[in-house]
Amino acid sequence: MLNIVIFGAPGSGKGTQSELIIKKYGLDHISTGDILRGEIENQTELGKIADKYIAKGHLVPDELIIAMLSSILDTHPHNKGFIFDGFPRTLAQGEALDKILRDHSTSIAVTINLSVDEAELTKRLLKRGEIAGRSDDNIDTIHSRLEVYRKQTEPLLAYYKKQGKLIGIQGNGSVDDIFEKVSEALDRINK
Ligand code: AMP
């Protein structure tokens, strides 16, 4: 199995690159943000809880996210691999993911970190707010999400680096140029 974590701040292009990776490598996409937005739309119990955190730009508690992810993995028994997009976002989630994958006799092959400076991230998120109408793409929530990313999510980079699984890619530039660099990195490990 080829299991990939796509990592980066909100607005770094994780979703866009994930779509291209899925097409080329035939992986299953797991975007915790998309799943949570689906739960909110369907007004499930999880959705009602998640909505409060998402609206403020805070993280949904680890135990809810980990339980949600664990049950999703159980429903994809024979795939080529997963691309995890927006998960893990805390060290506890990273450790839980390793354990869940171990229980399925697999592991993370590589983590791709898309780095983009904060001025560009803010610009992209505000633009997405206008186009896609995502309720959390407004200036106050964006600041909060970027701070949460720096404090709670960025420390995970050291976790993957220590395991020799981190590949950094400059996330500025055209979607195609970035995907070329992502593909090169994935082809190297997927020989
Ligand atoms: P995203 O679409 O990945 O930017 O996620 C949107 C929002 O959903 C985030 O700002 C969080 O409030 C919540 N969320 C998504 N994934 C996670 C996660 N792995 N852990 C906690 N909260 C999450």
Side-chain angles (χ1 to χ4, degrees):
M1 276 176 97
L2 178 65
N3 298 309
I4 304 169
V5 174
I6 185 132
F7 206 86
S12 58
K14 297 189 295 293
T16 306
Q17 291 299 321
S18 293
E19 294 303 334
L20 297 171
I21 293 170
I22 292 155
K23 262 196 217 137
K24 180 162 177 189
Y25 297 91
L27 306 179
D28 286 0
H29 187 200
I30 297 197
S31 157
T32 43
D34 283 351
I35 297 165
L36 291 169
R37 281 184 286 278
E39 297 280 335
I40 294 171
E41 215 171 291
N42 293 326
Q43 300 182 5
T44 64
E45 282 311 306
L46 174 59
K48 283 179 202 161
I49 299 170
D51 196 17
K52 297 197 180 102
Y53 292 93
I54 294 177
K56 288 190 197 132
H58 296 167
L59 294 184
V60 176
D62 282 339
E63 57 276 18
L64 294 178
I65 295 286
I66 292 166
M68 177 179 100
L69 190 101
S70 178
S71 68
I72 292 166
L73 289 208
D74 288 339
T75 62
H76 293 68
H78 302 298
N79 67 344
K80 287 190 187 167
F82 293 102
I83 176 149
F84 296 98
D85 163 9
F87 178 91
R89 262 176 154 98
T90 63
L91 204 51
Q93 291 182 15
E95 288 168 353
L97 178 60
D98 282 347
K99 181 174 180 314
I100 294 166
L101 292 176
R102 230 178 2 253
D103 291 345
H104 288 77
S105 307
T106 184
S107 61
I108 293 295
V110 71
T111 303
I112 299 217
N113 179 39
L114 297 174
S115 49
V116 176
D117 65 74
E118 285 207 6
E120 172 69 16
L121 292 170
T122 308
K123 204 168 86 187
R124 287 187 191 177
L125 291 168
L126 286 172
K127 194 164 162 204
R128 188 173 72 185
E130 283 169 19
I131 297 167
R134 245 178 77 164
S135 63
D136 57 347
D137 285 337
N138 61 71
I139 194 69
D140 291 337
T141 313
I142 289 169
H143 283 315
S144 164
R145 284 156 67 204
L146 292 177
E147 195 183 339
V148 163
Y149 176 77
R150 271 195 306 273
K151 288 196 178 145
Q152 292 179 260
T153 306
E154 228 168 32
L156 263 171
L157 288 175
Y159 178 75
Y160 288 114
K161 191 169 177 195
K162 211 159 62 190
Q163 298 177 41
K165 290 182 176 175
L166 186 67
I167 296 179
I169 288 181
Q170 206 30 265
N172 290 312
S174 81
V175 169
D176 290 345
D177 288 349
I178 297 164
F179 184 59
E180 207 176 298
K181 289 187 256 173
V182 169
S183 288
E184 271 169 26
L186 292 181
D187 289 343
R188 264 198 311 269
I189 59 142
N190 192 34
K191 270 192 217 130

